[in-house]
Amino acid sequence: MAINYHAEDRTITLHTRSSTYQMQIAGTGHVLHLYYGHRVDGMCLDYLHILTDCGFSPNSYENRLRREVSPDILPLEYSAAGCGDYRVPALECMSDAGLVGADLRYVRHEITDGKYALPGLPAAFAEAGEAQTLSLILADAATGLEVELLYGVFEAADVITRAAVFRNNGDAAIRLDRASSLCLDIPFGTGPSGGCWDLLHLHGRHCMERMPERVRLMHGIQTLGSRRGASSHHNNPFAVLMASDAGETCGECIGIMPVYSGNHRTDIELNQAGSVRVVSGIGGDLFAWQLDPGDCFFAPEVILCRTGEGLERLTHLCHDFLNRHVIRSPWKDKKRPLLINSWEAMTCDFNAEKVLKFAEEAAALGIEMVVLDDGWFGARDDDNAGLGDWFANERKLPGGLKPLSDAIHGLGMKFGLWVEPEMVNEDSSLYRTHPDWVLAVPGRKPVMARNQLVLDMGRSEVVAYLYDVISTLIQENGIDYIKWDMNRNIADTFSAALPPHRQMEVSHRYMLGVYALLDRLTREFPEVLFENCAGGGGRFDAGMLYYTPQIWCSDDTDAIERLTIQMGTAVGYPVGTMGAHVSACPNQQTGRTTPFGTRAIVAMSGTFGYELDPAHLSEEERRQVRVWNERYYRFYDLIHRGKYYRLTGIDRQVDYAAWAYVREDGSQALVNLVVTRAHANTHGFHIHLRGLNAQARYRLAEQVIEGCEAPDGTYLGGMDLTGRVFTGASLMIAGFTLRPMRGDAPAAQLLFEQTDAEEM
Ligand code: DGJ
């Protein structure tokens, strides 16, 4: 059993393959958090906590004569403001009777087989036998607020999911001001590093998403979050607590990943006692929810996982878990079509003839799907008009989308379409017909971004309208793929459909509407591949991955910039979820020119596709397209199902980036290296592989070197090791060196294969 209750010491223990999570119901009804760490079987771990009298840390009434017992110091399983715990609370609330906060005490618990679900929200799922659920109910006697803590224990996957349900069993309404799903207290001194922790998080901006940053925890509270109405380019919801001595292949790492795409918030507090509290879930400061008597509120899920084996292992746990238990699209196991997207080639400036020519050129290169991006609908000639009018612009596309779709299908290609359902331009018939459908504060001019407004997705009639429009588009035009964009953040969080006291619910109701629409469309059209996008990767999160198996990683398609963006993203999210394309050079965002092969190697580390005009390719580039298409398909399984290894780590102090995909059984490794800064008189690039079978023998089956000038005509970088046989141990422990490569951003791709040969 993954979950056990031990009646004698009143402990509840959750076991995953390598971890133990334990809590204890104290005599006062407080639920204490005892332990989350490496697996320890058959032990009550309450001895870990030393009680000390701590000045200015108060006591519950029952413990008024036991000053060493304070809710401000005790590790608590879940804590609310107002109960004598001054650390960052997981719950903040106020009842209509004026009662602030809650004093949560144990009521009951239940252990069931299977994984709980959260109505209207994305959440991890399990097949029979893969998960168990603990439901732990706490309540505040004064207000009648009940908090049900949900734990999904995925033993084999080594993951615990957390969620919380809030029920008002009292007589007065209760306003939830903060309703987090996860509270995790890590007591002082526990953990192999003696309790010193770093925080690894993914910050960024548009065109530079998910930059990894590792900082030492300081005393006080560090907050990661978004108040933009989207999980954001700026602070991705995924974060990792790393023991200060943890690295890529060693040490304690705890991953926290909200399964939510709206305003989120994670607070990490290092407190007076040297203990750490993590509180994570739905965003606090732009959120409140009115719970009338009898109502309940489901807070979004947070995935929790840990390892004592370093960041690499944590990455593998997250990748496997998202692939297996979060991404639900049937497309996750299918080969994604090799696509070409029209955006960088044409923006909104096209007509049917131009698109067809684009498709024909692409078909001749072996590309399988044309995606018609922004500009095909309404009065859309630039980004100032037309959003909301999801019918074809007849001036550009006479007869609508159908003739174009037919012609593209006639070329043996698939046809994909861009939409931005959540948005509207003032200059559109949708806005002229339904001006009240947008989020806008009465009496104030709306905050504009990209000259567009945001639809009130919390309104069921808006969602129903969008469902009709998009499902008709798909059906009538045989659409094979939808790119679902969202190009601004939300500012005017006021809904004309809600009373004043519910206005703080707008952002969450918005997300529930987006999820409802995505849920319906993706269920109804399982054969359509959905790619999520929000001005690049502004909503790259586990919530979106539940519905859409891939997400456009960034509007920055420069190969060198993408190295950091994709490496940062892949700390938590699987490689196969990252939309990545080869674009034209000089790159539209940076002006940089990189070799074609370098761009292809980087884009192969994602869903792969093109973002250029094939008519502008030289003969040599056309040859390269064919070569890289073939390589992408040949290595598709290795990249999408193999294990991903960062060979140069996350703190890219070196002037090259290297990473590898290794088949699960260790029999094949595809090694990639890109030189990001050229130096004179260098001595090559040393790499240690990982994930191979130490005793097995390997040969260098292939090596491709791109964009490298031969300094004296005698070699072209790479390895001069043809014919050598290595052991897995030699490649992993001693490593190997690639010779220096000259040129702007040269790259190498090497394939090692296990062999029976002694020598070659
Ligand atoms: C932002 C996306 O990230 C781009 O790829 C493109 O679809 C534009 N929007 C279109 O407006």
PDB file of all heavy atoms in Angstrom, residues 255-270:
ATOM      1  N   GLY A 255      10.762  19.192  -6.359  1.00  0.00           N
ATOM      2  CA  GLY A 255      10.115  19.923  -7.460  1.00  0.00           C
ATOM      3  C   GLY A 255       8.681  20.273  -7.104  1.00  0.00           C
ATOM      4  O   GLY A 255       7.952  19.465  -6.515  1.00  0.00           O
ATOM      5  N   ILE A 256       8.295  21.496  -7.444  1.00  0.00           N
ATOM      6  CA  ILE A 256       6.939  21.983  -7.156  1.00  0.00           C
ATOM      7  C   ILE A 256       6.378  22.500  -8.473  1.00  0.00           C
ATOM      8  O   ILE A 256       6.915  23.446  -9.047  1.00  0.00           O
ATOM      9  CB  ILE A 256       6.994  23.121  -6.109  1.00  0.00           C
ATOM     10  CG1 ILE A 256       7.572  22.577  -4.802  1.00  0.00           C
ATOM     11  CG2 ILE A 256       5.623  23.750  -5.870  1.00  0.00           C
ATOM     12  CD1 ILE A 256       8.678  23.399  -4.274  1.00  0.00           C
ATOM     13  N   MET A 257       5.308  21.881  -8.956  1.00  0.00           N
ATOM     14  CA  MET A 257       4.799  22.245 -10.269  1.00  0.00           C
ATOM     15  C   MET A 257       3.277  22.405 -10.239  1.00  0.00           C
ATOM     16  O   MET A 257       2.535  21.418 -10.309  1.00  0.00           O
ATOM     17  CB  MET A 257       5.180  21.180 -11.293  1.00  0.00           C
ATOM     18  CG  MET A 257       4.793  21.543 -12.714  1.00  0.00           C
ATOM     19  SD  MET A 257       5.152  20.246 -13.894  1.00  0.00           S
ATOM     20  CE  MET A 257       6.904  20.439 -14.121  1.00  0.00           C
ATOM     21  N   PRO A 258       2.786  23.641 -10.116  1.00  0.00           N
ATOM     22  CA  PRO A 258       1.337  23.845 -10.180  1.00  0.00           C
ATOM     23  C   PRO A 258       0.776  23.424 -11.544  1.00  0.00           C
ATOM     24  O   PRO A 258       1.380  23.715 -12.575  1.00  0.00           O
ATOM     25  CB  PRO A 258       1.182  25.357  -9.968  1.00  0.00           C
ATOM     26  CG  PRO A 258       2.421  25.768  -9.240  1.00  0.00           C
ATOM     27  CD  PRO A 258       3.505  24.871  -9.768  1.00  0.00           C
ATOM     28  N   VAL A 259      -0.347  22.746 -11.497  1.00  0.00           N
ATOM     29  CA  VAL A 259      -1.016  22.341 -12.745  1.00  0.00           C
ATOM     30  C   VAL A 259      -2.064  23.417 -13.027  1.00  0.00           C
ATOM     31  O   VAL A 259      -3.265  23.208 -12.883  1.00  0.00           O
ATOM     32  CB  VAL A 259      -1.661  20.948 -12.584  1.00  0.00           C
ATOM     33  CG1 VAL A 259      -2.212  20.427 -13.915  1.00  0.00           C
ATOM     34  CG2 VAL A 259      -0.647  19.962 -12.024  1.00  0.00           C
ATOM     35  N   TYR A 260      -1.583  24.593 -13.391  1.00  0.00           N
ATOM     36  CA  TYR A 260      -2.496  25.725 -13.512  1.00  0.00           C
ATOM     37  C   TYR A 260      -1.897  26.743 -14.466  1.00  0.00           C
ATOM     38  O   TYR A 260      -0.683  26.944 -14.477  1.00  0.00           O
ATOM     39  CB  TYR A 260      -2.710  26.357 -12.129  1.00  0.00           C
ATOM     40  CG  TYR A 260      -3.844  27.348 -12.085  1.00  0.00           C
ATOM     41  CD1 TYR A 260      -5.130  26.980 -12.494  1.00  0.00           C
ATOM     42  CD2 TYR A 260      -3.648  28.655 -11.644  1.00  0.00           C
ATOM     43  CE1 TYR A 260      -6.179  27.886 -12.455  1.00  0.00           C
ATOM     44  CE2 TYR A 260      -4.696  29.566 -11.588  1.00  0.00           C
ATOM     45  CZ  TYR A 260      -5.954  29.180 -12.005  1.00  0.00           C
ATOM     46  OH  TYR A 260      -7.000  30.075 -11.967  1.00  0.00           O
ATOM     47  N   SER A 261      -2.753  27.415 -15.221  1.00  0.00           N
ATOM     48  CA  SER A 261      -2.280  28.298 -16.284  1.00  0.00           C
ATOM     49  C   SER A 261      -2.589  29.761 -16.019  1.00  0.00           C
ATOM     50  O   SER A 261      -2.288  30.621 -16.852  1.00  0.00           O
ATOM     51  CB  SER A 261      -2.924  27.881 -17.608  1.00  0.00           C
ATOM     52  OG  SER A 261      -2.914  26.488 -17.732  1.00  0.00           O
ATOM     53  N   GLY A 262      -3.236  30.052 -14.903  1.00  0.00           N
ATOM     54  CA  GLY A 262      -3.576  31.435 -14.584  1.00  0.00           C
ATOM     55  C   GLY A 262      -2.654  31.991 -13.507  1.00  0.00           C
ATOM     56  O   GLY A 262      -1.491  31.602 -13.383  1.00  0.00           O
ATOM     57  N   ASN A 263      -3.203  32.911 -12.700  1.00  0.00           N
ATOM     58  CA  ASN A 263      -2.399  33.516 -11.636  1.00  0.00           C
ATOM     59  C   ASN A 263      -2.003  32.462 -10.624  1.00  0.00           C
ATOM     60  O   ASN A 263      -2.855  31.797 -10.032  1.00  0.00           O
ATOM     61  CB  ASN A 263      -3.196  34.617 -10.939  1.00  0.00           C
ATOM     62  CG  ASN A 263      -3.450  35.794 -11.863  1.00  0.00           C
ATOM     63  OD1 ASN A 263      -2.681  36.032 -12.798  1.00  0.00           O
ATOM     64  ND2 ASN A 263      -4.538  36.507 -11.635  1.00  0.00           N
ATOM     65  N   HIS A 264      -0.726  32.330 -10.417  1.00  0.00           N
ATOM     66  CA  HIS A 264      -0.237  31.322  -9.470  1.00  0.00           C
ATOM     67  C   HIS A 264       0.682  32.007  -8.479  1.00  0.00           C
ATOM     68  O   HIS A 264       1.137  33.142  -8.713  1.00  0.00           O
ATOM     69  CB  HIS A 264       0.525  30.220 -10.208  1.00  0.00           C
ATOM     70  CG  HIS A 264       1.683  30.742 -11.012  1.00  0.00           C
ATOM     71  ND1 HIS A 264       2.961  30.829 -10.518  1.00  0.00           N
ATOM     72  CD2 HIS A 264       1.738  31.248 -12.267  1.00  0.00           C
ATOM     73  CE1 HIS A 264       3.756  31.344 -11.439  1.00  0.00           C
ATOM     74  NE2 HIS A 264       3.046  31.618 -12.522  1.00  0.00           N
ATOM     75  N   ARG A 265       0.929  31.334  -7.408  1.00  0.00           N
ATOM     76  CA  ARG A 265       1.846  31.926  -6.424  1.00  0.00           C
ATOM     77  C   ARG A 265       2.493  30.824  -5.604  1.00  0.00           C
ATOM     78  O   ARG A 265       1.821  29.928  -5.103  1.00  0.00           O
ATOM     79  CB  ARG A 265       1.063  32.857  -5.503  1.00  0.00           C
ATOM     80  CG  ARG A 265       1.928  33.461  -4.430  1.00  0.00           C
ATOM     81  CD  ARG A 265       1.230  34.640  -3.820  1.00  0.00           C
ATOM     82  NE  ARG A 265       1.896  35.020  -2.588  1.00  0.00           N
ATOM     83  CZ  ARG A 265       1.521  36.045  -1.845  1.00  0.00           C
ATOM     84  NH1 ARG A 265       0.478  36.763  -2.197  1.00  0.00           N
ATOM     85  NH2 ARG A 265       2.162  36.330  -0.738  1.00  0.00           N
ATOM     86  N   THR A 266       3.804  30.907  -5.518  1.00  0.00           N
ATOM     87  CA  THR A 266       4.547  30.005  -4.641  1.00  0.00           C
ATOM     88  C   THR A 266       5.393  30.867  -3.725  1.00  0.00           C
ATOM     89  O   THR A 266       6.168  31.699  -4.198  1.00  0.00           O
ATOM     90  CB  THR A 266       5.435  29.043  -5.466  1.00  0.00           C
ATOM     91  OG1 THR A 266       4.577  28.224  -6.280  1.00  0.00           O
ATOM     92  CG2 THR A 266       6.264  28.136  -4.567  1.00  0.00           C
ATOM     93  N   ASP A 267       5.202  30.706  -2.423  1.00  0.00           N
ATOM     94  CA  ASP A 267       6.029  31.412  -1.438  1.00  0.00           C
ATOM     95  C   ASP A 267       6.961  30.415  -0.788  1.00  0.00           C
ATOM     96  O   ASP A 267       6.540  29.309  -0.426  1.00  0.00           O
ATOM     97  CB  ASP A 267       5.148  32.021  -0.335  1.00  0.00           C
ATOM     98  CG  ASP A 267       4.395  33.235  -0.833  1.00  0.00           C
ATOM     99  OD1 ASP A 267       5.026  34.104  -1.446  1.00  0.00           O
ATOM    100  OD2 ASP A 267       3.169  33.300  -0.617  1.00  0.00           O
ATOM    101  N   ILE A 268       8.194  30.833  -0.622  1.00  0.00           N
ATOM    102  CA  ILE A 268       9.161  29.987   0.067  1.00  0.00           C
ATOM    103  C   ILE A 268       9.697  30.825   1.221  1.00  0.00           C
ATOM    104  O   ILE A 268      10.303  31.874   1.000  1.00  0.00           O
ATOM    105  CB  ILE A 268      10.322  29.561  -0.865  1.00  0.00           C
ATOM    106  CG1 ILE A 268       9.748  28.841  -2.106  1.00  0.00           C
ATOM    107  CG2 ILE A 268      11.309  28.640  -0.155  1.00  0.00           C
ATOM    108  CD1 ILE A 268       9.762  29.630  -3.341  1.00  0.00           C
ATOM    109  N   GLU A 269       9.453  30.374   2.418  1.00  0.00           N
ATOM    110  CA  GLU A 269       9.857  31.158   3.587  1.00  0.00           C
ATOM    111  C   GLU A 269      10.911  30.418   4.394  1.00  0.00           C
ATOM    112  O   GLU A 269      10.721  29.259   4.780  1.00  0.00           O
ATOM    113  CB  GLU A 269       8.642  31.447   4.487  1.00  0.00           C
ATOM    114  CG  GLU A 269       9.045  32.208   5.741  1.00  0.00           C
ATOM    115  CD  GLU A 269       7.865  32.691   6.574  1.00  0.00           C
ATOM    116  OE1 GLU A 269       6.719  32.347   6.250  1.00  0.00           O
ATOM    117  OE2 GLU A 269       8.111  33.426   7.550  1.00  0.00           O
ATOM    118  N   LEU A 270      12.003  31.098   4.638  1.00  0.00           N
ATOM    119  CA  LEU A 270      13.014  30.580   5.568  1.00  0.00           C
ATOM    120  C   LEU A 270      12.803  31.357   6.865  1.00  0.00           C
ATOM    121  O   LEU A 270      12.940  32.584   6.895  1.00  0.00           O
ATOM    122  CB  LEU A 270      14.419  30.831   4.993  1.00  0.00           C
ATOM    123  CG  LEU A 270      15.607  30.435   5.861  1.00  0.00           C
ATOM    124  CD1 LEU A 270      15.594  28.942   6.204  1.00  0.00           C
ATOM    125  CD2 LEU A 270      16.915  30.776   5.143  1.00  0.00           C
TER     126      LEU A 270
END
